Amino acid sequence: MVRILLFASLRDIVGAGQIEVAVREDMPASRLIELLEEEHPALKRYRSVIRIAVNQEYASPDAVVRPGDEVALFPPVSGGARWSS
């Protein structure tokens, strides 16, 4: 199993902030995302901009994910504090 943490709009699409996916062998993080897209097609629009972390370290889409890993997926984020005078 791989524990997947989802944030912001990704969490809204999936309907949960955390899910587990059965993984029997090592695979690239991009393949794990493809598996999620099969169940949640709305995730596809974020494919090119999702930030990935594997075991709390930012990773590329080709990073290897193994059973027992924790993967966090972040959509693009914008905004910040606005100061007015």
Side-chain angles (χ1 to χ4, degrees), residues 7-58:
F7 296 90
S9 55
L10 304 180
R11 177 184 57 230
D12 295 340
I13 291 168
V14 173
Q18 176 179 313
I19 60 173
E20 290 192 355
V21 175
V23 173
R24 296 183 184 170
E25 59 188 37
D26 297 357
M27 69 173 59
S30 60
R31 177 63 184 134
L32 184 64
I33 293 169
E34 289 171 1
L35 292 174
L36 288 175
E37 290 172 348
E38 290 173 11
E39 287 193 42
H40 307 280
L43 291 174
K44 289 179 183 179
R45 68 180 167 195
Y46 292 98
R47 181 182 299 176
S48 65
V49 294
I50 288 177
R51 291 288 314 251
I52 302 165
V54 177
N55 298 323
Q56 300 180 4
E57 291 189 27
Y58 282 110

